């Protein structure tokens, strides 16, 4: 919100005058503070905030009308569109109306994508953009619709500009496009549209730091009184790397505890990477890019996403993996398997709803986010 406020109220990229300048997510360059996050989500939010501010609804601490309207029109609307896109992809696989509805409800309500759509964050924006982009990619490639492919490319680019590691999916699906039999018009419509939002991000990044590289790569930008990130980016050694993977997946914030349906869905994703499957090319891109994205964080981070309900870095992957619900019945052949699946869905729904209490779970209540949120809820009620 600091950059959004700075752009609208002060017409600048520095966040010195923002009331949110006390945030720890900032860099210090040439005597000024700037947000260290990708600028695109804040710029999109500024489009919504501009009329609100001039209508007398400024951003402020605490419960704030402008903040919640920004969440709704930026994060929540994109999430709603992603749910509709998910349903469209289910239809692509020929599911009947009942299964299509059930799978869509599972994605909409029993995943961390639901939890993180309740707060302003770049990972939810990227997740929604990837889901909508994939739906349009599938339909556009099948029907050779230039408009669908153009919008798909733009949304893959918007995801990348919002959450930089998701740029892997833009590269992956651009590779599929160029290997296809589509015309040059289709191919360039996709790739040029994808470059547009990414170029905007890189331009602003260059204006701030004189580089197109992520600002987090420069330790000197984090040297200022009160800085929380003085160590900068470093690569984990072999032992730390494998320990970090284990704790990231099944530790207190472990991704699998908060998204247990992945235990069923990841094998289905791998199954559909087999050559000859109707969706094998897209599945290979999803599998490879998801793996590389996770490896990026496993190698270069040490704090498990910081304060948060689970590891928010991996939220953008969820829509792309959840689409394999379309083939879930192939592994739910016995009564026991079906009961396990229903149990995982119910558990996932409960966990997602508890996350709504506070997606930025406060470890001061408890180091395990689910417990922290329940304790915070109890304090609020009583």
């Amino acid at each position: 919100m600091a950059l959004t406020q700075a752009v609208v109220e002060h017409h600048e990229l520095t966040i010195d005058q923002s009331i949110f300048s006390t945030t720890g997510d900032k860099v210090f360059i040439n005597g000024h503070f700037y947000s260290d996050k990708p600028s695109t989500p804040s710029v999109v939010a500024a489009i919504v905030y501009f009329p609100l501010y001039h209508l007398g609804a400024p951003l402020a601490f605490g419960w704030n009308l402008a903040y919640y309207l920004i969440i709704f029109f930026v994060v929540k609307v994109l999430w709603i569109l992603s749910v509709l896109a998910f349903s469209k992809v289910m239809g692509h696989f020929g599911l009947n109306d009942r299964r299509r509805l059930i799978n869509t409800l599972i994605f909409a309500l029993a995943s961390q994508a639901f939890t993180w759509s309740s707060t302003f964050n770049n990972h939810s924006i990227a997740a929604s953009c990837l889901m909508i982009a994939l739906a349009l990619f599938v339909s556009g490639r099948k029907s050779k619709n230039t408009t669908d492919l153009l919008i798909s490319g733009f949304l893959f680019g918007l995801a990348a500009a919002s959450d930089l590691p998701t740029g892997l999916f833009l590269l992956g699906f651009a590779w599929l496009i160029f290997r296809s039999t589509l015309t040059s018009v289709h191919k360039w419509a996709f790739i040029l549209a994808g470059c547009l939002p990414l170029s905007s991000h890189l331009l602003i990044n260059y204006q701030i730091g004189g580089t197109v590289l992520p600002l987090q790569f420069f330790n000197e930008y984090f040297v200022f009184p009160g800085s929380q990130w003085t160590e900068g980016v470093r690569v984990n050694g072999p032992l730390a790397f494998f320990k970090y993977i284990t704790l990231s997946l099944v530790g207190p914030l472990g991704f699998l505890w908060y998204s247990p349906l992945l235990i069923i869905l990841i094998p289905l994703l791998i199954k559909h990477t087999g050559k000859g499957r109707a969706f094998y090319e897209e599945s290979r891109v999803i599998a490879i890019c998801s793996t590389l994205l996770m490896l990026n964080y496993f190698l270069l981070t040490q704090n498990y996403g910081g304060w948060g309900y689970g590891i928010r870095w991996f939220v953008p992957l969820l829509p792309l993996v959840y689409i394999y619900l379309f083939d879930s019945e192939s592994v739910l052949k016995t009564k026991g398997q079906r009961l396990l699946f229903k149990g995982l869905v119910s558990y996932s729904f409960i966990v997602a709803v508890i996350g709504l209490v506070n997606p930025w779970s406060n470890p001061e209540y408890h180091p395990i986010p689910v417990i922290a949120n329940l304790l915070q809820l109890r304090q609020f009620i009583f």
Side-chain angles (χ1 to χ4, degrees), residues 85-379:
F86 186 92
S87 178
K88 182 177 181 179
V89 172
M90 291 299 101
H92 168 78
F93 292 117
L95 272 61
N96 60 43
D97 290 343
R98 179 177 175 274
R99 284 192 60 202
R100 182 175 175 178
L101 176 61
I102 290 173
N103 288 347
T104 301
L105 288 174
I106 291 173
F107 165 67
L109 302 176
S111 81
Q112 291 294 287
F114 177 44
T115 302
W116 283 97
S117 70
S118 65
T119 186
F120 190 83
N121 67 99
N122 60 325
H123 308 294
S124 178
I125 292 172
S128 297
C129 286
L130 288 176
M131 184 64 253
I132 304 166
L134 178 63
L136 290 170
F137 180 90
V138 170
S139 64
R141 190 181 183 190
K142 181 179 180 181
S143 64
K144 299 183 179 180
N145 186 305
T146 305
T147 302
D148 280 359
L149 291 171
L150 186 146
I151 298 173
S152 174
F154 179 83
L155 289 170
F156 274 119
L158 186 59
S162 300
D163 192 357
L164 297 179
T166 64
L168 289 163
F169 292 99
L170 174 62
L171 294 175
F173 283 96
W175 176 75
L176 277 191
I177 281 285
F178 274 103
R179 288 184 68 251
S180 72
T181 58
L182 294 170
T183 67
S184 296
V185 172
H186 294 117
K187 294 175 181 180
W188 285 108
F190 179 89
I191 195 63
L192 292 178
C195 289
L196 184 62
L198 197 54
S199 298
S200 175
H201 158 75
L202 294 175
L203 177 62
I204 294 175
N205 203 78
Y206 187 82
Q207 288 181 312
I208 291 173
T211 177
V212 296
L213 296 175
L215 300 177
Q216 290 89 342
F217 284 6
F218 299 89
N219 296 357
E220 62 269 26
Y221 292 166
F222 293 88
V223 179
F224 56 85
S227 174
Q228 303 174 29
W229 314 112
T230 53
E231 294 183 1
V233 175
R234 67 179 190 274
V235 179
N236 291 320
L239 290 178
F241 173 70
F242 288 108
K243 178 183 177 182
Y244 193 63
I245 289 177
T246 302
L247 292 177
S248 293
L249 296 177
V250 294
L253 280 76
F255 193 48
L256 293 179
W257 294 120
Y258 295 84
S259 305
L261 279 171
L262 296 181
I263 297 170
I264 293 173
L265 297 175
I266 289 176
L268 289 175
L269 163 59
I270 295 172
K271 168 186 171 181
H272 284 274
T273 61
K275 192 169 185 179
R277 298 276 178 180
F279 201 61
Y280 86 92
E281 289 184 322
E282 291 86 348
S283 296
R284 288 181 176 182
V285 169
I286 292 170
I288 292 170
C289 293
S290 297
T291 302
L292 291 175
L293 183 146
M294 296 184 78
L295 284 174
N296 165 72
Y297 287 110
F298 292 151
L299 280 170
L300 301 178
T301 67
Q302 296 79 34
N303 70 341
Y304 306 97
W307 286 25
Y309 194 72
I311 300 181
R312 64 184 186 276
W313 298 327
F314 303 147
V315 168
L317 307 181
L318 292 176
L320 305 184
V321 179
Y322 263 64
I323 64 171
Y324 293 91
L325 283 167
F326 84 86
D327 192 31
S328 58
E329 289 197 353
S330 69
V331 293
L332 302 177
K333 297 178 180 178
T334 68
K335 184 178 180 180
Q337 290 171 333
R338 290 191 290 272
L339 284 174
L340 174 63
F341 179 73
K342 290 176 182 178
L344 290 176
V345 170
S346 299
Y347 170 88
S348 299
F349 170 71
I350 292 169
V351 168
V353 170
I354 293 173
L356 296 176
V357 174
N358 183 8
W360 307 96
S361 299
N362 188 342
E364 293 178 2
Y365 285 98
H366 198 279
I368 298 176
V370 170
I371 299 175
N373 278 20
L374 289 174
L375 292 174
Q376 185 175 352
L377 178 62
R378 184 182 69 177
Q379 184 184 64

